[in-house]
């Protein structure tokens, strides 16, 4: 059976973490979970440790010293998952904005030939619930901007709900990934595209969090805007 792991970064997610873990483990297909925990002061790590006593084989956690950025959290998880020889490595938020029931669709897209599958809000119109209209417009046109500048045929360039084959993550030079916030999502997709891998978008419905606090900020968007310009000028080479 394929080895599958879902990487979930957390910072102050006590309202959501147990529910999201149980939802993933409730799926057919023997999914494992890796929590990347950034020293949440609300006790998120304690909840995960309690659940590890119940899910002794499938629930893993890496605790870090502080809030070090989304990109570095995923890279830490990617390296660990590759070392453990997982075949399919997923990214997912803890707050149910990504529906765990869509994980099998992302997995199947990769089984059917994609190297990276993306849970896409924009490949089939606009599928976002509970966002203010201003944020929808900003997010949608951010993807249009990225697609135009980079020439990458991906509708949802900032999506954070994805499935990679291990081969992709072993080929990308993860130590040279530069962007830390949501620009990280753009950089990883662009690296995948430039290295010749096949990308497939899978339509999903994105629902904004109902519990906990959003981690979005204007700085995140600023990094993504200017980072795309720099990314266009860089040569993307495989890891040696």
């Amino acid at each position: 059976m394929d080895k599958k792991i879902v990487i979930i970064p957390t910072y102050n997610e006590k309202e959501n973490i147990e529910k999201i873990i149980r939802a993933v483990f409730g799926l057919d297909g023997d999914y494992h979970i890796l929590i990347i925990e950034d020293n949440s002061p609300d006790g998120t790590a304690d909840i995960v440790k309690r659940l590890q006593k119940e899910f002794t084989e499938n629930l893993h956690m890496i605790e870090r010293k502080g809030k070090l950025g989304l990109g570095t959290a995923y890279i830490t998880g990617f390296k660990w998952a590759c070392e453990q020889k997982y075949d399919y490595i997923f990214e997912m938020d803890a707050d149910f904005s990504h529906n765990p029931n869509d994980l099998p669709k992302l997995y199947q897209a990769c089984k059917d030939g994609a190297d990276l599958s993306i849970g896409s809000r924009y490949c089939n119109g606009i599928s976002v619930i509970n966002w203010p209209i201003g944020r929808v417009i900003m997010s949608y046109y951010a993807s249009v901007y990225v697609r135009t500048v980079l020439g990458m045929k991906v509708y949802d360039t900032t999506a954070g709900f994805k499935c990679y084959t291990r081969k992709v993550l072993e080929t990308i030079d993860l130590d040279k990934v530069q962007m830390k916030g949501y620009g990280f999502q753009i950089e990883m997709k662009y690296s995948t595209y430039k290295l010749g891998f096949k990308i497939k978008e899978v339509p999903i419905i994105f629902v904004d969090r109902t519990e906990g606090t959003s981690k979005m900020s204007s700085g995140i968007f600023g990094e993504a805007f200017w980072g795309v310009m720099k990314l266009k000028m860089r040569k993307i080479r495989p890891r040696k």
Side-chain angles (χ1 to χ4, degrees):
M1 181 181 288
D2 292 324
K3 291 182 67 178
K4 304 184 288 291
I5 192 157
V6 181
I7 300 174
I8 305 177
T10 56
Y11 184 77
N12 285 349
E13 291 290 355
K14 68 177 182 179
E15 295 93 348
N16 296 302
I17 192 61
E18 180 166 356
K19 288 181 283 188
I20 199 75
I21 287 171
R22 291 193 182 280
V24 172
F25 286 152
L27 298 170
D28 293 332
D30 192 30
Y31 292 84
H32 289 205
I33 295 174
L34 172 61
I35 304 295
I36 309 295
E37 219 306 289
D38 274 4
N39 198 25
S40 301
D42 72 347
T44 298
D46 293 333
I47 297 170
V48 177
K49 288 173 183 175
R50 170 171 57 80
L51 291 171
Q52 283 183 307
K53 296 174 183 177
E54 180 178 350
F55 302 106
T56 55
E57 301 294 326
N58 292 8
L59 180 56
H60 312 279
M61 180 167 63
I62 295 174
E63 293 184 81
R64 305 198 301 171
K65 293 180 180 180
K67 197 175 180 184
L68 303 176
L70 183 75
T72 64
Y74 275 125
I75 288 172
T76 296
F78 292 160
K79 290 179 176 180
W80 186 91
C82 289
E83 288 170 1
Q84 301 300 317
K85 302 300 182 185
Y86 282 93
D87 301 299
Y88 297 92
I89 297 134
F90 299 78
E91 292 184 21
M92 191 173 76
D93 291 347
D95 61 9
F96 284 92
S97 55
H98 302 146
N99 187 341
N101 292 329
D102 288 328
L103 287 168
K105 292 195 293 186
L106 296 180
Y107 168 62
Q108 192 60 49
C110 285
K111 286 291 286 184
D112 290 344
D115 300 297
L116 165 62
S117 60
I118 300 168
S120 178
R121 299 164 291 186
Y122 305 130
C123 70
N124 189 18
I126 297 176
S127 300
V128 177
I129 295 174
N130 290 346
W131 264 9
I133 188 65
R135 187 167 171 188
V136 173
I137 291 170
M138 182 165 57
S139 175
Y140 178 79
Y141 282 104
S143 280
V144 172
Y145 162 75
V146 172
R147 194 162 64 245
T148 302
V149 172
L150 297 181
M152 180 171 57
K153 294 180 181 179
V154 172
Y155 284 94
D156 195 348
T157 56
T158 60
F161 193 20
K162 298 186 285 183
C163 176
Y164 292 94
T165 61
R166 186 172 76 240
K167 183 179 179 180
V168 173
L169 298 179
E170 288 178 338
T171 302
I172 293 174
D173 192 341
L174 297 174
D175 290 328
K176 291 189 177 178
V177 174
Q178 295 181 5
M179 289 195 265
K180 300 292 190 288
Y182 279 80
F184 164 81
Q185 304 291 9
I186 300 167
E187 185 171 351
M188 287 295 296
K189 292 181 188 72
Y190 186 61
S191 296
T192 302
Y193 164 73
K194 290 296 286 184
L195 291 170
F197 289 107
K198 183 178 179 182
I199 300 173
K200 171 73 173 178
E201 288 187 87
V202 176
I204 64 161
I205 296 175
F206 179 95
V207 182
D208 196 20
R209 67 164 62 235
T210 58
E211 295 187 271
T213 305
S214 173
K215 313 303 188 295
M216 296 292 284
S217 70
S218 58
I220 286 173
F221 282 102
E223 182 212 38
F225 181 87
W226 295 111
V228 167
M229 292 293 195
K230 295 176 183 177
L231 197 54
K232 177 71 172 176
M233 308 304 293
R234 280 172 51 198
K235 292 188 181 297
I236 306 296
R237 295 188 175 92
R239 185 166 69 96
K240 294 179 180 180

